[in-house]
Amino acid sequence: MADAPMTDFAHLPHPAPVPSETRDQALADPGFGSIFTDHMVTIRFDADRVERGEDGWYDAKLCPREAIPLDPAAAVLHYAQEIFEGMKAYRWEDDSVALFRPEQNARRLNASARRMAMPELPEELFLESIRQLVAKDRDWMPTVEGGSLYLRPFMFATEAFLGVRPAREYLYCLIASPVGSYFKSGVKPVDVWVSRDHTRAAPGGTGAAKTGGNYAASLVPLAEGTKQGCQQTVFLDAVEKKWIEELGGMNLFFVFKDGSAITPPLTGTILPGITRDSLIQMLRDEGLQVREEPYSIDQWHADAAKGDLIETFACGTAAVVTPVGSVNGPDGTFTIGTGGTGQLTQKMRDRLVGVQMGTAPDPHGWVMKLD
């Protein structure tokens, strides 16, 4: 029987960390996802070790961020066995650091791994990798308003072979990027484009897994929307092409004047967002009736035109809560409410950010302090 999962990490010294002056200049305006911290975490997996009764995960390292050597026959390059997560570390006013529901990221990573025929990473090992990297690179946490340390855990197949089967060797990595606001315009309503010719995922596919192929499938319709002056693209279901599913990287909520809200259900084609799950609870805390049920593009248009639908917002780790101002597509354009940021949308964003930053109560125990 394999031993308990290891949580000891070898620490490799960095030969040339970024000078503090250069780092501080970068942190003054970090943007989103374009600069990276000095270090990374790597852990390897080998199925042969499991067959010998050992822990399949081994060689955990906290090391300098560097290029990853990869055989040109590595399975990830040919059969796309790859998954990832997105989460943030927040610096609080007392200089402590906190995570928001990180155990949910660990569980979703493993759900993605199961769908992609990859090994599951023990939850405590996942969390320890986060603790190790954040502790080492906490000086990279930006102090700009809305800033945080974006964490990108990911795993991919490294075994070199050309045959269609699950790989036997994998590499788990964790990198970090100091970030500001996801949208350059800040927290302002976004215009969205309805994709009629492309779908993100189909029933029985990988839509519920956080795998790179789903995002690759969204790039052409996203570019189509960008040409129309829109910041995001709305995807419809693959069967009837009428039911709203999600944006390229965010879940959607629809708020009505009768005090109810709808978000599309998790039927296997939509990523189960952690922010989505949190907002369902927070909206119910506000007294709203939240329904997880199908909502069509035609009904969205009709409800907005009648004034029954008063707000629509998108949500996700990167952008948090973002109002939708207008909906555009080959069939025309319609506006949500007044086209501005709705009161409930702003309230939910402020409350969620408050919990994450430690300035609002955390009644559900979602925050994990690291120090």
Side-chain angles (χ1 to χ4, degrees):
M1 181 178 292
D3 296 332
M6 56 85 182
T7 55
D8 292 331
F9 286 69
H11 286 211
L12 279 59
H14 199 304
V18 173
S20 58
E21 297 83 0
T22 304
R23 181 187 66 224
D24 292 344
Q25 289 176 3
L27 294 181
D29 184 17
F32 198 97
S34 59
I35 59 176
F36 300 92
T37 68
D38 286 316
H39 298 87
M40 63 189 290
V41 165
T42 62
I43 314 173
R44 295 192 174 276
F45 178 90
D46 188 339
D48 289 344
R49 292 172 58 91
V50 177
E51 294 178 357
R52 295 195 300 266
E54 304 173 23
D55 188 350
W57 292 100
Y58 71 103
D59 194 25
K61 296 178 182 177
L62 176 67
C63 56
R65 181 180 175 275
E66 59 187 359
I68 300 172
L70 197 62
D71 192 288
V76 65
L77 301 177
H78 303 272
Y79 309 114
Q81 274 190 288
E82 179 272 344
I83 56 176
F84 67 97
E85 274 298 316
M87 53 196 299
K88 291 178 179 177
Y90 306 90
R91 188 196 294 272
W92 285 13
E93 292 179 352
D94 62 3
D95 204 40
S96 63
V97 176
L99 305 174
F100 183 74
R101 307 186 74 182
E103 73 287 346
Q104 295 300 320
N105 292 97
R107 294 165 192 170
R108 189 171 64 181
L109 182 82
N110 283 334
S112 297
R114 290 190 295 271
R115 180 61 184 86
M116 302 300 290
M118 300 169 70
E120 296 183 39
L121 181 73
E123 184 175 321
E124 181 52 39
L125 189 54
F126 176 93
L127 295 175
E128 184 60 25
S129 73
I130 301 295
R131 295 187 193 103
Q132 293 272 341
L133 184 59
V134 173
K136 188 67 174 179
D137 282 345
R138 65 174 293 154
D139 288 342
W140 281 89
M141 299 193 71
T143 57
V144 296
E145 183 178 356
S148 59
L149 190 63
Y150 185 83
L151 303 169
R152 173 53 60 89
F154 60 102
M155 186 202 310
F156 59 92
T158 57
E159 183 187 2
F161 76 98
L162 298 179
V164 183
R165 61 164 173 79
R168 296 178 62 82
E169 299 172 6
Y170 298 85
L171 182 66
Y172 165 82
C173 298
L174 171 66
I175 58 176
S177 173
V179 299
S181 177
Y182 183 74
F183 291 110
K184 293 181 180 179
S185 60
V187 185
K188 296 180 180 178
V190 296
D191 299 319
V192 299
W193 177 260
V194 179
S195 178
R196 291 288 190 176
D197 298 325
H198 302 89
T199 54
R200 175 187 170 275
T206 60
K210 200 166 177 66
T211 182
N214 293 338
Y215 293 79
S218 74
L219 297 180
V220 167
L222 180 61
E224 181 183 79
T226 300
K227 289 181 180 179
Q228 301 295 327
C230 298
Q231 294 80 45
Q232 282 288 320
T233 296
V234 179
F235 289 95
L236 306 178
D237 74 290
V239 179
E240 298 181 73
K241 294 190 175 180
K242 62 181 284 189
W243 303 108
I244 300 163
E245 295 213 319
E246 62 176 292
L247 299 186
M250 291 183 283
N251 298 118
L252 282 166
F253 281 82
F254 308 92
V255 181
F256 301 88
K257 67 180 182 181
D258 66 0
S260 67
I262 289 176
T263 189
L266 302 178
T267 57
T269 57
I270 295 176
L271 184 70
I274 296 166
T275 306
R276 172 190 181 275
D277 182 71
S278 304
L279 285 166
I280 289 174
Q281 182 61 60
M282 292 174 66
L283 287 166
R284 288 174 176 161
D285 292 345
E286 288 291 314
L288 272 76
Q289 178 190 17
V290 182
R291 305 189 301 276
E292 296 180 69
E293 65 183 35
Y295 190 57
S296 72
I297 182 65
D298 291 339
Q299 194 63 50
W300 190 13
H301 189 175
D303 288 343
K306 290 185 296 183
D308 292 340
L309 178 129
I310 55 176
E311 299 181 39
T312 297
F313 61 82
C315 66
T317 297
V320 193
V321 176
T322 300
V324 174
S326 72
V327 181
N328 308 267
D331 303 324
T333 297
F334 62 94
T335 301
I336 306 299
T338 62
T341 301
Q343 291 183 354
L344 186 64
T345 299
Q346 188 65 56
K347 185 176 185 178
M348 290 297 98
R349 178 184 174 86
D350 292 345
R351 183 158 295 182
L352 180 59
V353 171
V355 172
Q356 294 169 339
M357 297 300 297
T359 59
D362 178 23
H364 302 289
W366 286 335
V367 169
M368 177 183 290
K369 295 292 289 293
L370 295 184
D371 50 18

